[in-house]
Amino acid sequence: MASNNGDVKLIGAWASPYVMRPRIALNVKSVEYEFLQEQFGSKSELLLKSNPVHKKIPVLLHNGKPICESSIIVEYIDEVWSSGPSILPSDPYDRAVARFWAAYLDEKWFPNVRAAPMAATEEAKNAAVEQLKEGLALLEEISKGKDFFGGEKIGFIDIAFGSMLAWLRALQVMLGGVKLLDEEKTPGLCKWAAKFSADPAVKDVLPETEKIIEFAKLLVAKIKAAAASS
Amino acid sequence: MASNNGDVKLIGAWASPYVMRPRIALNVKSVEYEFLQEQFGSKSELLLKSNPVHKKIPVLLHNGKPICESSIIVEYIDEVWSSGPSILPSDPYDRAVARFWAAYLDEKWFPNVRAAPMAATEEAKNAAVEQLKEGLALLEEISKGKDFFGGEKIGFIDIAFGSMLAWLRALQVMLGGVKLLDEEKTPGLCKWAAKFSADPAVKDVLPETEKIIEFAKLLVAKIKAAAASS
């Protein structure tokens, strides 16, 4: 779609938290874009050509130029459409803190969202759940006294963490009712999650928990089958 | 050390490539700093207090405030001391590309520098070496026709990759003369490596290959012993 934003396309898939990040960021900036969805289980020529190193979604195509890796895309969106609300804070220290938590979520926390339902033993599952709870306790601490991690509006940490919210909710159900977002232990995060999910930039991007559960079951079955046959 | 830079301290260790990154960045910006070296095998109270989440070096302390994670520290240095030469490009697309390669090096490439000498089988070692060579071929491609990845001067990719140079040279020796930086296959990188290593911001930071080999042998022995006793 050509507009005064230039030609903006996003290669992705509705269920991927990493794809939700640039979608939310584009919404925050009121940038129109064409959403090119990959088919589950295959990779399009456009994706392979646009991200030959990782061959992964999301890829943002801006006037034909590809930008890869979800957090890098969000920073790009923030820098290019700088007339819209800022996603990263303006102070360098606050920016470093926001980048720190986004990296923490990707490297340390989210792998446990994947690991928990895939765990081969009860012990491994419990270890993943414990690490998820530890991470949520850290996030609860830094969320205190604010509407969003970014202050009064959605910022970098909100997008990094919020993109994982639908999967976190699905995980609670898939693990038989384990409480991760807990009104007693993480009241700040519960409040934040409700506010974030209802935000106009977010509400049409976050899928319903039931849809994620259905998709996650397919995914877990596929990964387990692949592991068993290798 | 208090100066017109403010109070700048870096918690690190001479042999860590991740610590070399902020050291080079601070040199690029001509920022004086105090280098607080951790003892091998233990973690100081200051480190544990400054980086309670990861408990890892490097940590930059700027007027007492801690900034963690090497690439995030380099971006912080670039933003705070903006009067010095820029480390990241000014164009958002070029910035995204620089961030992409820095992330690639951390996530995909450097783990093989660790894996190769630790490999339990010849097959695993060869697989790690192949992946290193594939990465170097990609970097050779993007280095073409420039003094540095950043153009005429040291930039974000130069620091991200160059910090790994001493370890790469050591690895070649430790693997019995495997050629990774290869005059025939990666002539651009060989030229770049010579220029980068001789740069005033770099030359006192990159350790001699012999020193890294000595340290790496200790490290490999320690990790293997820990694995055997667990």
Side-chain angles (χ1 to χ4, degrees):
Chain A
M1 186 183 309
S3 73
N4 59 359
N5 305 314
D7 182 35
V8 184
K9 294 187 175 82
L10 184 70
I11 311 177
W14 66 270
S16 160
Y18 300 108
V19 175
M20 293 175 208
R21 291 178 177 177
R23 291 177 71 197
I24 295 168
L26 289 165
N27 287 348
V28 164
K29 299 282 188 175
S30 305
V31 173
E32 286 178 42
Y33 65 97
E34 190 178 345
F35 190 27
L36 306 174
Q37 292 215 57
E38 291 288 302
Q39 293 302 310
F40 182 58
S42 71
K43 293 176 196 281
S44 70
E45 279 303 308
L46 183 63
L47 172 61
L48 296 174
K49 195 184 76 175
S50 304
N51 188 0
V53 173
H54 299 301
K55 303 175 180 69
K56 280 187 181 168
I57 52 171
V59 178
L60 183 76
L61 294 167
H62 187 202
N63 296 325
K65 285 163 118 178
I67 300 105
C68 306
E69 302 271 58
S70 67
S71 289
I72 295 173
I73 299 172
V74 172
E75 290 220 41
Y76 176 83
I77 290 167
D78 197 31
E79 292 174 4
V80 165
W81 290 285
S82 54
S83 56
S86 289
I87 292 170
L88 275 138
S90 57
D91 177 74
Y93 184 76
D94 295 339
R95 291 163 76 84
V97 170
R99 288 178 179 133
F100 175 86
W101 287 110
Y104 167 80
L105 285 162
D106 281 0
E107 288 158 25
K108 298 281 173 188
W109 191 82
F110 195 64
N112 292 301
V113 174
R114 291 168 183 260
M118 296 289 302
T121 64
E122 197 66 16
E123 198 186 347
K125 190 188 84 178
N126 292 340
V129 168
E130 273 319 300
Q131 292 200 41
L132 287 171
K133 286 184 177 172
E134 273 177 37
L136 292 171
L138 292 172
L139 291 165
E140 173 72 17
E141 198 58 40
I142 60 165
S143 75
K144 275 189 180 158
K146 291 181 289 190
D147 279 354
F148 293 107
F149 291 98
E152 286 172 19
K153 55 190 179 45
I154 287 179
F156 200 58
I157 304 176
D158 296 285
I159 294 175
F161 182 42
S163 62
M164 296 163 172
L165 198 49
W167 281 85
L168 187 64
R169 286 171 177 150
L171 186 65
Q172 296 187 128
V173 179
M174 292 172 76
L175 295 179
V178 167
K179 270 199 168 181
L180 295 165
L181 285 178
D182 182 328
E183 285 292 352
E184 278 178 35
K185 289 186 180 155
T186 58
L189 292 186
C190 291
K191 217 170 124 188
W192 164 84
K195 205 167 169 73
F196 180 81
S197 307
D199 192 275
V202 175
K203 66 179 169 32
D204 296 331
V205 174
L206 281 195
E208 283 167 22
T209 308
E210 280 309 312
K211 267 189 81 181
I212 290 285
I213 292 172
E214 204 175 300
F215 180 81
K217 281 181 182 165
L218 280 176
L219 195 66
V220 168
K222 198 185 160 190
I223 296 171
K224 284 191 173 169
S229 72
S230 68
Chain B
M1 187 183 310
S3 73
N4 59 358
N5 305 315
D7 181 36
V8 185
K9 294 187 176 83
L10 182 70
I11 311 177
W14 66 271
S16 161
Y18 299 108
V19 175
M20 293 176 208
R21 291 177 177 176
R23 291 177 70 197
I24 295 168
L26 289 166
N27 287 347
V28 164
K29 298 283 188 174
S30 305
V31 173
E32 287 178 40
Y33 65 99
E34 191 177 346
F35 189 27
L36 307 175
Q37 292 215 56
E38 291 289 300
Q39 293 303 310
F40 181 59
S42 71
K43 292 177 195 282
S44 70
E45 279 303 308
L46 183 64
L47 172 61
L48 296 173
K49 193 184 77 178
S50 305
N51 189 358
V53 174
H54 299 301
K55 303 175 181 67
K56 279 187 182 168
I57 53 171
V59 179
L60 183 75
L61 294 167
H62 187 203
N63 296 327
K65 284 163 119 179
I67 300 106
C68 306
E69 301 272 58
S70 67
S71 289
I72 294 173
I73 299 172
V74 172
E75 290 222 41
Y76 176 83
I77 291 168
D78 197 32
E79 292 174 3
V80 166
W81 289 285
S82 55
S83 55
S86 290
I87 292 170
L88 275 138
S90 57
D91 177 72
Y93 183 75
D94 295 338
R95 291 163 75 85
V97 170
R99 287 177 180 135
F100 175 86
W101 287 110
Y104 167 80
L105 285 162
D106 281 1
E107 288 158 25
K108 297 281 173 188
W109 191 81
F110 195 65
N112 291 300
V113 174
R114 290 168 182 260
M118 296 290 303
T121 64
E122 197 66 14
E123 199 186 345
K125 189 186 83 177
N126 292 340
V129 168
E130 273 320 299
Q131 292 201 43
L132 286 171
K133 286 183 177 174
E134 274 177 36
L136 292 171
L138 293 171
L139 291 166
E140 174 73 14
E141 199 57 40
I142 59 164
S143 76
K144 273 187 181 158
K146 291 181 288 189
D147 280 353
F148 293 107
F149 292 96
E152 287 172 17
K153 54 188 179 49
I154 287 177
F156 200 58
I157 305 176
D158 296 283
I159 293 175
F161 182 42
S163 62
M164 295 163 173
L165 198 49
W167 281 86
L168 187 63
R169 287 172 176 149
L171 186 65
Q172 296 187 127
V173 179
M174 291 172 76
L175 296 179
V178 167
K179 270 198 168 182
L180 296 166
L181 285 177
D182 182 328
E183 285 292 350
E184 280 178 33
K185 290 187 181 156
T186 58
L189 291 187
C190 290
K191 218 171 126 189
W192 165 83
K195 208 169 167 71
F196 179 81
S197 307
D199 192 275
V202 175
K203 66 177 169 32
D204 296 331
V205 174
L206 280 196
E208 286 167 21
T209 308
E210 281 308 313
K211 267 189 82 179
I212 291 285
I213 292 171
E214 204 177 298
F215 179 81
K217 282 180 182 166
L218 280 174
L219 195 66
V220 168
K222 196 184 161 189
I223 296 171
K224 283 191 173 169
S229 71
S230 71

